[in-house]
Amino acid sequence: MESDRSNNYEEKDIQVSRTIEIKNLTEEIKYMLSSMGDGRSSVSPYDTAWVSFIGETNNGSERPLFPSCLQWIVDNQLADGSWGEELVFCIYNRLSNTLACVVALTLWNTCLHKRNKGVMFIKENLSKLETGEVENMTCGFEFVFPALLEKARQLDIDIPYDAPVLTDIYARREVKFTT
């Protein structure tokens, strides 16, 4: 009986500690993002999308913890439906950026017309991975892209998950996992 109470207190202490730690880390991220100012760091659609995935629950509803990241995604889609560097086209980078932004828009159920335009870009350009130069492949692409695809699949985003080019990417990932 005494040990059950002790265990309950320990579990509650751990939960409180985790909550405090999460709040402290959140405040640290907010401070870092607000103190960067313009020019200190270039904006990456991929990184911005991942930050936009972070949510908070307030009064029983989930909302983005960093809504400015989601707004950046909404405001910075390129004319072809993708996200990325407008003047330099690298298929690996463009697809990673676009898929991350599509996942973010879908996750928060916003700007579905932009999300759909991004999905069309992915469908129309996925085959370009077959001819993309491997030396231009974004570092870790074979890990990052499948992880994003899994998030997209969980959100029921209509992407050709069985495309042969994706099988090749999964194979590259497995080789790296085993070596």
Side-chain angles (χ1 to χ4, degrees), residues 3 9 19 52 62 68 78 85 89 95 103-104 121 129 142 178:
S3 86
Y9 288 129
T19 300
S52 79
E62 183 92 13
S68 61
L78 300 176
E85 176 57 48
F89 186 91
L95 283 172
V103 167
F121 175 86
L129 290 174
E142 62 277 5
T178 59

Side-chain angles (χ1 to χ4, degrees), residues 17-145:
S17 294
R18 285 184 182 154
T19 300
I20 291 170
E21 183 178 357
I22 289 170
K23 285 183 179 182
N24 289 340
L25 289 172
T26 300
E27 289 305 313
E28 188 175 333
I29 290 170
K30 283 181 177 180
Y31 173 77
M32 287 170 39
L33 290 174
S34 69
S35 68
M36 288 177 110
D38 289 339
R40 202 165 145 210
S41 177
S42 62
V43 176
S44 159
Y46 174 82
D47 295 334
T48 302
W50 274 96
V51 173
S52 79
F53 295 169
I54 303 169
E56 69 176 341
T57 304
N58 195 353
N59 295 328
S61 67
E62 183 92 13
R63 63 186 181 104
L65 184 58
F66 302 103
S68 61
C69 291
L70 196 57
Q71 188 61 52
W72 186 93
I73 292 168
V74 169
D75 293 341
N76 287 279
Q77 186 175 38
L78 300 176
D80 64 1
S82 70
W83 282 265
E85 176 57 48
E86 190 169 13
L87 301 177
V88 178
F89 186 91
C90 173
I91 191 61
Y92 301 103
N93 191 29
R94 196 64 69 89
L95 283 172
S96 294
N97 289 337
T98 302
L99 183 55
C101 291
V102 164
V103 167
L105 294 174
T106 304
L107 180 66
W108 297 111
N109 195 29
T110 189
C111 294
L112 297 181
H113 63 287
K114 289 184 177 270
R115 181 198 74 110
N116 292 340
K117 195 171 179 182
V119 168
M120 286 306 300
F121 175 86
I122 293 167
K123 288 178 175 180
E124 291 169 359
N125 289 276
L126 199 57
S127 64
K128 290 182 181 175
L129 290 174
E130 295 170 359
T131 58
E133 297 179 26
V134 177
E135 51 275 354
N136 292 332
M137 186 181 288
T138 308
C139 183
F141 180 83
E142 62 277 5
F143 296 105
V144 168
F145 202 67

